[in-house]
Amino acid sequence: MTPIEFSAAERADIAARIKAWFRDELDQEIGRLPAEMLLDFFTKEIGGDFYNRGLYDAQAVVAARADDISEAILGLERARGR
């Protein structure tokens, strides 16, 4: 599986949000490096779980839409003439 990677801008944004969460929820200040290290940990250790959940959710949406399309096509059937 290809590793989950973020652009430099994405990493900076996520690290800023991690820092803000620590400040707001835990009343602790952490620096950019610890925030990025935490991001790396979560990306490596549980990122795949979130990615897989997204795939399962997308698969469910596609399956529901396929059922809708199948029903719509069946609705187009015409009765055979006698």
Side-chain angles (χ1 to χ4, degrees), residues 5-82:
E5 295 183 9
F6 298 104
S7 70
E10 290 169 327
R11 286 182 63 79
D13 177 62
I14 296 168
R17 289 187 282 156
I18 291 170
K19 288 174 59 174
W21 186 85
F22 265 81
R23 181 190 65 237
D24 298 342
E25 300 297 326
L26 302 177
D27 200 26
Q28 294 183 9
E29 294 292 332
I30 63 169
R32 180 189 54 81
L33 183 58
E36 288 188 4
M37 291 173 66
L38 189 57
L39 171 60
D40 290 340
F41 169 77
F42 282 126
T43 300
K44 180 180 176 187
E45 296 298 325
I46 64 171
D49 297 310
F50 284 97
Y51 180 83
N52 290 343
R53 172 54 52 200
L55 289 179
Y56 301 148
D57 291 347
Q59 184 179 26
V61 168
V62 170
R65 295 297 185 262
D67 287 343
D68 291 345
I69 292 169
S70 181
E71 288 177 25
I73 291 171
L74 288 174
L76 296 173
E77 281 187 355
R78 297 183 183 185
R80 292 183 186 180
R82 290 187 181 191

